[in-house]
Amino acid sequence: MGSMSAWEALLLGIVEGLTEFLPVSSTGHLTLLFHLLGLPVEEDAFLKTFLIAIQLGAILAILLLYGRRFLSDPALWLRVGVAFLPTGAMGFLLYPFIKGEVLGNDRVVVLALFGVGLLLLLADRLAQRARYRDALELPWAGLLLIGFFQGLAALVPGTSRSGATILGGLLVGLSRKGAAEFSFLLALPTMLIAVGYDLLKSAPEVVEGGWGLLGFGFLAALLTALFTVRAMLALVEQVGFTPFALYRMALALVYGYFFLR
């Protein structure tokens, strides 16, 4: 298990909850934290599973915050389902490559952090001319494009699932709040299926004591994400996504300086 301790599992869960729904790349932050803690995520199968599994805590936060709206609106189900189609197809076909070759790759993380940060910085200006307040107003082609962006994020660690879907939402004319909220809702099927599939395949690799560490990370991610989602919506309505874009680019430079030399 990479000699992970309980406090390290809690810390990683907190970082997951803070970053999963911000457009800053939770995987990029967690990969960096694994390095700082001296945990060999690139070689250890359990640590890779932990990196994916604690996302369940973050997704439960979305169920608690948005479950009533999601369950009471069949039109919203349909739109989330349509947007999920490209993501599901890309993830299913390329899962072995993602888990085996891409996850934990420092160079990929740094390039994705900086590149998506730059794109998000440019796209945020489009929100001033947003045509749609909510995903329920989007045309079907716009939904598919957002799903395609999310699929790309699944392929490239450091891209940020939420960052990619928000970027896609802004490009098709969604408002800042609309893009953020649809990113949260689209996370429900995406993360539940991806994490569930990974746990089914990886359960034999979780040795005695591993489930307890997963539980610590899960709980920390849940409680932290409940706070983060509410705070993010308030922030993006006031200042937009520019601070997140600049933060991503600065983090990429720091990350690259220390770990790619």
Side-chain angles (χ1 to χ4, degrees), residues 16-252:
E16 162 63 24
L18 283 173
T19 58
E20 179 60 50
F21 300 109
L22 301 180
V24 297
S25 176
S26 60
T27 302
H29 281 77
L30 289 169
T31 303
L32 176 58
L33 185 55
F34 274 118
H35 284 309
L36 295 175
L37 295 173
L39 298 172
V41 66
E42 292 185 40
E43 296 86 22
D44 192 296
F46 171 76
L47 293 179
K48 285 189 176 183
T49 295
F50 181 91
L51 181 63
I52 295 172
I54 57 173
Q55 296 175 30
L56 278 176
I59 198 60
L60 180 55
I62 297 300
L63 283 171
L64 293 175
L65 292 171
Y66 285 93
R68 181 176 297 179
R69 178 190 173 190
F70 192 75
L71 293 174
S72 65
D73 193 343
L76 189 58
W77 301 358
L78 179 60
R79 289 179 172 270
V80 170
V82 169
F84 174 73
L85 290 175
T87 301
M90 295 166 73
F92 179 76
L93 293 173
L94 296 169
Y95 169 83
F97 173 72
I98 298 166
K99 185 77 181 285
E101 303 295 333
V102 179
L103 198 62
N105 187 304
D106 292 322
R107 192 173 300 278
V108 172
V109 169
V110 169
L111 291 174
L113 277 170
F114 191 89
V116 174
L118 181 60
L119 291 174
L120 190 61
L121 184 65
L122 298 174
D124 190 43
R125 301 189 178 187
L126 298 176
Q128 300 171 6
R129 303 189 301 273
R131 292 171 288 164
Y132 310 107
R133 293 174 299 172
D134 189 273
L136 291 173
E137 302 174 1
L138 279 177
W140 300 112
L143 296 169
L144 290 171
L145 183 62
I146 293 173
F148 176 74
F149 269 73
Q150 182 176 245
L152 290 178
L155 303 181
V156 185
T159 300
S160 168
R161 188 210 60 80
S162 59
T165 52
I166 288 170
L167 177 60
L170 294 174
L171 290 175
V172 298
L174 267 177
S175 67
R176 289 175 176 133
K177 182 178 180 181
E181 288 195 320
F182 192 65
S183 173
F184 301 156
L185 293 171
L186 187 52
L188 288 171
T190 303
M191 294 172 65
L192 284 173
I193 292 172
V195 175
Y197 181 70
D198 185 78
L199 286 178
L200 285 175
K201 291 182 67 70
S202 305
E205 299 170 358
V206 182
V207 298
E208 185 177 355
W211 292 107
L213 293 173
L214 289 176
F216 281 128
F218 171 91
L219 184 60
L222 166 62
L223 297 177
T224 310
L226 285 171
F227 164 79
T228 304
V229 167
R230 289 172 172 161
M232 177 187 170
L233 286 177
L235 183 62
V236 298
E237 286 195 288
Q238 295 179 22
V239 299
F241 294 106
T242 295
F244 299 110
L246 295 175
Y247 171 76
R248 287 180 64 104
M249 296 165 73
L251 180 65

